[in-house]
Amino acid sequence: MDKAYAYKNKRSVVMRSSSGGAFWGIAEAFFEMGGGTCYGAKFDSDFKVVHGKAKKLEECLAFQGSKYVQSDMTNCFVEVKHDLKEGKNVLFTGTPCQVAAIKKYLSRNKIDDSGLYTVDIVCHGAPGPVVWHDYINYIQNKEHSKLIKFSFRYKPHGWKGYPIYAEFENGKKYINSIKVSSYQNMFRKNLLMRESCFNCPYPGNFQSDLTISDFWGVELCMPDVSTDGGVSLILSHTEKGANLTAVMKDTEEVTMVEVRGEGYKKYNHNLLYATERPDDYDKFWNDYKNKGLKYVLYRYGGENLKDTVVFYGKSILRKTGLADKVKKMMGRA
């Protein structure tokens, strides 16, 4: 039977993580157990999302934080195979379909994967890179400056609400501004997903040793756990997963508490179900292909007056705490 944990790393780690810093805790445990190489998604210098390789813990910093784009896996499978053949342990992190793919690839090539540790995420869907690349060019042209930093989940502005941070070479910085949030808005409406994501076979059918995600609903399932800064949910599926979680200690600075019961599933939809295909999905893609990015950002991404007012109104509600109070009154997290 799977074991579930509420996890919260020390504050310095939490503040650079999307939720409770589970990935960093797992990476620390992996290198403490002897290490090897770690693979994960990162931005390259042009903000293309690629799967990279780390040989030591410090290099895993690039893998922290959510990237709502399908990563380029070029050469990654070959490198993982090479590392395993050389007797190295490998920690591979990615979406459920990427974990399933690497395991299938190794099996077909008859590679001993006893040294492979896998971690996937509770995945909402992975958009292809086309719109993201188009969007990066769009905001850089609009700002007349190169993008130098971007975060899909800017923690200093809160755990919930998915605040965006963008910084440009000209010194301009935007935090939770509609000017840099319209891609995110379309992602959260499920419009950017690949068609295959709506028929994902992996919710509830775990291929990994560990699964991590935001612990939505933690305040209702485990009210004694502080939610300040965010909390991660960790699911351990295998003996390898148990070995990693055994090294992740509950200390004064780190919280790691086993979750009793399965109430957490109620608040984490993609644990059991694929993301639903929106009614206007076909219309969105038709508009994007025929009318271009600028039109869909206005029509679907919130770059219009009405949606902008709603966007900032919701932001104010989250800042004041009123949003959480309303949700609690409605009996949901």
Side-chain angles (χ1 to χ4, degrees):
M1 180 178 172
D2 288 357
K3 285 191 175 182
Y5 300 91
Y7 182 85
K8 188 173 183 179
N9 214 313
K10 57 188 177 183
R11 186 161 183 81
S12 59
V13 174
V14 168
M15 293 309 292
R16 65 174 191 257
S17 306
S18 292
S19 50
F23 162 72
W24 191 257
I26 293 167
E28 283 183 313
F30 173 74
F31 282 100
E32 189 174 328
M33 288 166 57
T37 56
C38 177
Y39 291 81
K42 66 176 186 176
F43 289 124
D44 71 7
S45 58
D46 294 316
F47 290 91
K48 179 180 178 181
V49 180
V50 299
H51 244 69
K53 176 178 178 177
K55 296 180 181 179
K56 52 188 178 181
L57 179 63
E58 293 74 19
E59 294 173 350
C60 293
L61 283 167
F63 304 151
Q64 283 192 286
S66 301
K67 290 94 178 172
Y68 298 126
V69 188
Q70 180 185 11
S71 62
D72 185 338
M73 303 281 286
T74 303
N75 298 326
C76 182
F77 285 17
V78 174
E79 289 191 40
V80 169
K81 180 177 74 171
H82 179 265
D83 289 347
L84 291 171
K85 286 180 74 173
E86 287 203 335
K88 296 176 183 176
N89 288 335
V90 172
L91 177 64
F92 180 89
T93 65
T95 61
C97 57
Q98 288 174 332
V99 168
I102 189 69
K103 292 178 75 173
K104 186 175 290 187
Y105 170 80
L106 294 171
S107 176
R108 284 179 177 173
N109 284 273
K110 296 180 171 54
I111 302 299
D112 178 9
D113 68 353
S114 57
L116 176 69
Y117 294 79
T118 56
V119 181
D120 64 8
I121 58 172
V122 175
C123 186
H124 188 70
V130 176
V131 179
W132 172 245
H133 293 169
D134 203 2
Y135 186 70
I136 291 297
N137 289 331
Y138 169 79
I139 59 175
Q140 289 184 142
N141 290 336
K142 199 172 180 180
E143 191 58 43
H144 304 293
S145 183
K146 181 175 172 55
L147 184 70
I148 57 173
K149 289 183 183 178
F150 191 93
S151 172
F152 282 105
R153 303 279 296 278
Y154 184 59
K155 186 59 69 63
H157 210 68
W159 174 31
K160 301 179 181 180
Y162 297 78
I164 298 289
Y165 176 87
E167 183 177 339
F168 294 85
E169 219 168 43
N170 63 6
K172 288 284 187 68
K173 300 176 184 179
Y174 296 101
I175 302 173
N176 208 30
S177 166
I178 196 67
K179 290 183 177 181
V180 290
S181 296
S182 43
Y183 176 92
Q184 179 89 312
N185 293 341
M186 295 188 299
F187 169 80
R188 297 188 69 191
K189 291 177 180 178
N190 303 335
L191 295 168
L192 301 179
M193 309 306 177
R194 294 168 298 154
E195 190 76 55
S196 58
C197 293
F198 304 126
N199 300 292
C200 179
Y202 298 111
N205 177 27
F206 303 106
Q207 306 293 304
S208 61
D209 298 308
L210 294 175
T211 295
I212 59 176
S213 76
D214 295 272
F215 196 153
W216 302 126
V218 63
E219 59 266 49
L220 300 177
C221 298
M222 305 187 72
D224 293 337
V225 175
S226 169
T227 60
D228 179 41
V231 183
S232 294
L233 175 68
I234 302 176
L235 300 179
S236 175
H237 309 297
T238 66
E239 185 178 345
K240 287 181 184 177
N243 291 340
L244 284 167
T245 57
V247 180
M248 300 168 70
K249 301 175 180 67
D250 187 354
T251 67
E252 285 187 12
E253 290 187 290
V254 178
T255 298
M256 186 171 178
V257 184
E258 187 173 347
V259 181
R260 302 297 181 182
E262 297 187 341
Y264 62 89
K265 292 181 179 179
K266 177 181 177 182
Y267 306 102
N268 294 271
H269 178 81
N270 289 118
L271 265 174
L272 299 177
Y273 306 102
T275 292
E276 293 83 4
R277 192 181 196 273
D279 293 337
D280 52 354
Y281 183 79
D282 290 332
K283 187 176 188 312
F284 166 82
W285 283 104
N286 185 63
D287 286 341
Y288 175 67
K289 290 171 185 175
N290 294 308
K291 299 180 180 179
L293 179 70
K294 190 173 181 180
Y295 176 83
V296 296
L297 293 180
Y298 178 87
R299 174 68 178 81
Y300 305 94
E303 291 196 8
N304 59 70
L305 181 58
K306 179 184 174 182
D307 288 344
T308 298
V309 170
V310 172
F311 177 88
Y312 288 115
K314 287 181 177 179
S315 179
I316 291 169
L317 287 175
R318 283 190 291 268
K319 267 188 176 181
T320 58
L322 290 174
D324 284 338
K325 289 179 183 178
V326 170
K327 287 179 181 178
K328 284 182 180 180
M329 287 173 62
M330 295 172 67
R332 58 189 179 91

